[in-house]
Amino acid sequence: MKTLKFQRQENAEFMKALRGRVNDYFKTNNKTIYGNTSMVVKTVVMLSLFFAPLVIIGTGWVSSPLPLFALYIAAGLGMAGVGMGVMHDAIHGSYSKNKTVNKLVGYTMNLIGANANVWKIQHNVLHHTYTNIDQADDDMNAPFFLRFSPHAKRYWIHRFQYLYVWIFYGLSTLSWITAKDFIRAARYRKMGFFKDRREFRRTLYKIISWKILYYSYALALPLIMVPLPAWIIVLAFLSMHFVTGICISMVFQTAHIVSETSFPLPEPNGKVSEDWAVHQLATTSNYAPKSNWLSWMIGGLNFQVEHHLFPNICHVHYRSLSKIVSQTAKEYNLPYYVKKSFGGALLSHIKMLQRLGAPKQIGA
């Protein structure tokens, strides 16, 4: 991938002023940028919601399909909560001031079947740096039957993607626990993210080891202990991942692939016309800013603008920071996108999928 460079001079004063105001907020209120007691409580709740149902299943107490599916689906909600509200902050380094704590809590990503090291490259580096830039933002890279960028190749099947995309959203975490980590690790090796063959090989061993552990307690143990046909247990396991995939995909996709956000292309020389901070404002949208319960459930990711501008700050502070960010953006005549509700953001996402899938008009 060609190295991309953002414009540094234009609108540079915006981020300088914003950083100063955010720093003043924490200093004035005598707060740290990291997590607090509510973050610890959330960690316990989400990990318990994920592991408790699996422990019950693994003991063999479940003997009929309905409670089995209910427990697996509950675990799926817990898995989504861990992914959005626990490991996400830890891997960004915003969970705790202590790097060891961040590293350990970040391993919860591995405990739900994916890999923290691979995700860190995909998300922290590629997505957060090159948001909505085709071929650079790895969250935008999708199989041929999905089109998330107006610059991606268009196929006839895309006109129906707003109808069938939900199936693939539901399957997304199944991709994580099977092939995606290996495929992306191989690609990131070619991109130079691993310093040598030894580091790459070590990463592969770790990916395999963590996945063996995950499959052991999430699927193998239930297959041994639960007195039901194997196909029912496997189907219940898949339902857990489908719930997780739907939840996580809807939360992230409604923040970037919506009608208002832009999908800029770099110039042939690799330069991006705007500076990085303005790029984040143009490619990201908030939603449901007044919904406390939704914000708690999804790890503050309804405040994606604040998260993209300050990924090093724990999500428990985003609601307060949003007032500062929106006011500063207004002063500098910069965009600050926000939908009043999650439903509004979801509708905007659907409309964008329809627009991306519509047949190209002659002369367009």
Side-chain angles (χ1 to χ4, degrees):
M1 183 186 75
K2 182 185 291 185
T3 301
L4 304 182
K5 294 183 179 180
F6 290 90
Q7 173 66 253
R8 294 188 177 182
Q9 284 75 34
E10 189 177 357
N11 292 312
E13 287 299 314
F14 162 72
M15 197 58 185
K16 183 178 179 181
L18 182 59
R19 281 199 182 100
R21 294 175 183 182
V22 168
N23 289 337
D24 286 343
Y25 165 79
F26 284 104
K27 185 176 181 180
T28 301
N29 292 280
N30 194 26
K31 291 183 177 182
T32 172
I33 65 173
Y34 302 103
N36 50 24
T37 303
S38 68
M39 191 66 190
V40 176
V41 171
K42 180 181 294 187
T43 302
V44 173
V45 170
M46 293 304 180
L47 285 174
S48 298
L49 183 58
F50 173 62
F51 278 112
L54 294 181
V55 169
I56 295 172
I57 294 170
T59 58
W61 291 349
V62 180
S63 58
S64 59
L66 188 58
L68 177 69
F69 275 84
L71 287 168
Y72 262 125
I73 289 173
L77 294 173
M79 187 190 299
V82 171
M84 294 183 290
V86 180
M87 75 82 188
H88 188 225
D89 287 84
I91 296 178
H92 273 295
S94 63
Y95 187 97
S96 170
K97 186 178 181 180
N98 189 308
K99 292 183 179 180
T100 301
V101 171
N102 285 322
K103 185 176 182 179
L104 292 175
V105 177
Y107 282 144
T108 57
M109 179 69 165
N110 299 35
L111 289 175
I112 60 176
N115 184 267
N117 291 334
V118 173
W119 191 84
K120 188 173 184 178
I121 298 172
Q122 171 205 333
H123 185 78
N124 290 21
V125 179
L126 299 177
H127 172 63
H128 270 264
T129 305
Y130 308 115
T131 313
N132 276 21
I133 298 180
D134 190 41
Q135 300 300 313
D137 179 356
D138 216 7
D139 283 10
M140 299 286 291
N141 295 330
F144 76 92
F145 46 80
L146 294 175
R147 187 171 189 254
F148 293 148
S149 168
H151 309 296
K153 188 173 181 179
R154 189 194 312 261
Y155 293 97
W156 67 268
I157 196 172
H158 291 144
R159 70 183 64 185
F160 306 110
Q161 70 173 356
Y162 74 99
L163 297 174
Y164 63 69
V165 71
W166 314 103
I167 297 173
F168 295 100
Y169 283 169
L171 298 175
S172 60
T173 59
L174 286 170
S175 176
W176 277 356
I177 67 170
T178 52
K180 183 184 285 187
D181 284 331
F182 298 102
I183 294 172
R184 285 190 165 164
R187 185 163 76 250
Y188 297 156
R189 180 193 176 193
K190 294 179 180 178
M191 294 171 67
F193 285 105
F194 297 100
K195 61 183 180 181
D196 53 35
R197 183 178 297 180
R198 180 177 298 179
E199 183 185 18
F200 175 68
R201 188 182 299 120
R202 221 172 20 241
T203 299
L204 290 182
Y205 290 154
K206 290 179 180 178
I207 292 173
I208 293 170
S209 299
W210 278 104
K211 289 189 187 302
I212 290 174
L213 174 63
Y214 171 73
Y215 279 111
S216 296
Y217 60 74
L219 183 58
L221 186 60
L223 284 170
I224 295 170
M225 299 299 294
V226 177
L228 288 171
W231 69 269
I232 292 179
I233 299 170
V234 171
L235 190 60
F237 171 81
L238 295 177
S239 70
M240 171 181 71
H241 274 281
F242 196 87
V243 167
T244 305
I246 284 287
C247 291
I248 291 178
S249 295
M250 288 198 301
V251 166
F252 281 103
Q253 297 293 73
T254 49
H256 298 292
I257 305 176
V258 290
S259 302
E260 295 77 15
T261 55
S262 63
F263 299 80
L265 280 179
E267 298 172 9
N269 60 5
K271 288 186 178 180
V272 181
S273 60
E274 297 171 331
D275 79 350
W276 176 84
V278 176
H279 176 83
Q280 299 306 316
L281 289 173
T283 57
T284 310
S285 177
N286 288 354
Y287 51 84
K290 295 183 179 180
S291 179
N292 292 327
W293 74 268
L294 178 66
S295 187
W296 191 90
M297 288 293 295
I298 66 175
L301 294 177
N302 54 320
F303 293 101
Q304 278 279 335
V305 174
E306 287 68 33
H307 173 59
H308 270 254
L309 291 173
F310 299 100
N312 63 314
I313 296 178
C314 186
H315 77 261
V316 297
H317 305 292
Y318 290 161
R319 181 181 302 278
S320 298
L321 296 186
S322 66
K323 300 173 184 177
I324 300 173
V325 176
S326 61
Q327 181 59 39
T328 308
K330 183 178 180 180
E331 289 177 19
Y332 283 82
N333 197 30
L334 295 173
Y336 183 85
Y337 301 126
V338 57
K339 291 289 185 182
K340 291 183 179 180
S341 67
F342 175 69
L346 190 60
L347 181 60
S348 183
H349 176 56
I350 293 171
K351 288 181 178 179
M352 190 62 193
L353 290 174
Q354 290 177 314
R355 184 189 305 174
L356 291 168
K360 187 175 182 180
Q361 300 298 317
I362 298 176

